[in-house]
Amino acid sequence: MIGLTEKISLYGFNNLTKTLSFNIYDICYAKTEREKKDYLAYIDEQYNSERLTRILCDVSDMIGAHVLNISKQDYEPQGASVNILITEEALPVYLVDPSCNLGADIINKNGLMRDNVVGHLDKSHLTVHTYPESHPENEISTFRVDIDVGTCGNISPLNALDYLIGSFDSDIITIDYRVRGFTRDTAGAKYFIDHKINSIQNYVDKKTLRRYDAIDMNIYQSNIFHTKMMLRDIDLENYLFDRDIREIPREKRMHVRDLLFHEMNEIFYGVNIYDE
């Protein structure tokens, strides 16, 4: 395989498609119906479409891409979605399809001109969706964010992975990375991947990894990589919404911790765990 710093002399365009799917879960203890509603309202405001757009624009900068088009939406009663088309190579503005908004509302706020925005390469995009929800029978509420970064060419979505983890309160993280298609060198030989990788964890900061238990499930022959991460330590104070830990009797704190741990394990392992 080819290292990250090595360049392949290609015959034509590098049309390898690299896709990163990133999912995070935030878990919260909200005892009353009021607390649950307030938590969902807080999440809805904290991760509205404007902030999510900013995050995706930062990701675009980090991977060396440029914004072509932005669409975003906040939903009722909660949730938000953002979709951004990106490009790798700079093109004159007159070549951009007139239906594209060129990310003007974002770019103008940063003081940039429209001619800094460039053309679209097929299947290069960033998307984010949010899913806040509450358990109907206990005091646990959860918030999920799904982010997909799809690129072709030399840019890699893995370069933004550590930034994404730090942009959200991440109790549980699932990450999928896959490379599809092939590109050719000048002699006609196929390359099905253009960089070395044996684990997604290679692209996560070591300080971050020390905070999580992580497992890999990879299919190297197919360039498919999957990593799951769960926060190791539960500091109960970080999981209470609008409530001081001193308001919870000491004998009940273990029950709350068990509820949180139960929810996190079900999400991490993808199975329902029933109490005996």
Side-chain angles (χ1 to χ4, degrees):
M1 285 193 285
I2 303 299
L4 285 170
T5 58
E6 301 175 49
K7 298 289 184 182
I8 310 170
S9 296
L10 296 179
Y11 177 77
F13 174 67
N14 184 344
N15 58 17
L16 287 170
T17 300
K18 302 161 189 173
T19 304
L20 176 73
S21 296
F22 170 85
N23 312 93
I24 73 101
Y25 293 85
D26 175 59
I27 315 299
C28 175
Y29 177 79
K31 183 177 181 181
T32 67
E33 287 300 316
R34 180 67 184 178
E35 287 177 357
K36 290 181 180 181
K37 289 180 180 179
D38 287 347
Y39 170 75
L40 295 181
Y42 164 79
I43 287 294
D44 214 35
E45 176 61 30
Q46 186 76 2
Y47 297 107
N48 58 35
S49 64
E50 184 175 345
R51 183 184 178 193
L52 295 174
T53 300
R54 293 279 179 183
I55 291 173
L56 292 191
C57 285
D58 287 345
V59 170
S60 180
D61 289 340
M62 288 178 177
I63 66 176
H66 308 272
V67 173
L68 171 67
N69 189 73
I70 298 174
S71 59
K72 60 182 180 179
Q73 182 64 50
D74 291 296
Y75 298 109
E76 292 293 339
Q78 66 255 344
S81 297
V82 180
N83 181 69
I84 298 181
L85 297 180
I86 57 175
T87 177
E88 179 180 15
E89 300 295 334
L91 295 175
V93 172
Y94 67 83
L95 291 180
V96 179
D97 191 289
S99 65
C100 293
N101 63 28
L102 299 173
D105 57 334
I106 300 298
I107 292 167
N108 288 340
K109 289 178 184 177
N110 293 335
L112 301 178
M113 300 298 292
R114 284 168 66 92
D115 60 6
N116 292 102
V117 188
V118 292
H120 171 54
L121 299 180
D122 189 29
K123 295 182 181 175
S124 295
H125 65 275
L126 299 89
T127 64
V128 59
H129 304 278
T130 65
Y131 303 90
E133 64 94 37
S134 292
H135 194 290
E137 295 181 358
N138 65 31
E139 301 92 354
I140 298 299
S141 294
T142 62
F143 168 61
R144 185 175 108 234
V145 177
D146 292 352
I147 295 178
D148 288 287
V149 184
T151 67
C152 54
N154 295 316
I155 56 179
S156 172
L158 288 169
N159 294 334
L161 183 55
D162 209 56
Y163 167 77
L164 286 171
I165 293 174
S167 295
F168 302 93
D169 295 324
S170 307
D171 292 317
I172 298 165
I173 306 166
T174 61
I175 312 163
D176 294 284
Y177 178 67
R178 59 191 180 276
V179 182
R180 289 287 180 265
F182 64 86
T183 191
R184 293 183 186 272
D185 65 16
T186 52
K190 297 183 184 73
Y191 286 86
F192 296 93
I193 194 167
D194 62 355
H195 60 286
K196 289 183 178 179
I197 178 174
N198 57 25
S199 172
I200 294 171
Q201 295 185 49
N202 297 343
Y203 295 85
V204 180
D205 187 272
K206 288 183 172 57
K207 289 182 180 178
T208 302
L209 282 175
R210 283 196 288 268
R211 297 172 52 226
Y212 289 87
D213 288 319
I215 59 174
D216 284 350
M217 289 172 280
N218 303 320
I219 307 175
Y220 298 107
Q221 304 93 323
S222 299
N223 294 322
I224 296 174
F225 305 88
H226 176 76
T227 295
K228 294 199 292 188
M229 302 166 59
M230 182 169 66
L231 206 61
R232 287 181 175 174
D233 299 318
I234 293 180
D235 185 347
L236 198 55
E237 243 180 316
N238 295 333
Y239 293 84
L240 305 181
F241 186 75
D242 277 351
R243 184 180 289 265
D244 191 292
I245 192 170
R246 289 168 294 188
E247 298 177 30
I248 300 178
R250 188 175 299 274
E251 61 273 13
K252 191 177 179 181
R253 293 178 192 175
M254 185 58 68
H255 168 70
V256 174
R257 190 183 300 274
D258 287 344
L259 282 177
L260 293 166
F261 191 67
H262 186 277
E263 183 80 1
M264 290 171 65
N265 272 277
E266 285 193 335
I267 295 171
F268 185 69
Y269 291 107
V271 295
N272 288 306
I273 303 170
Y274 298 100
D275 296 322
E276 294 182 358

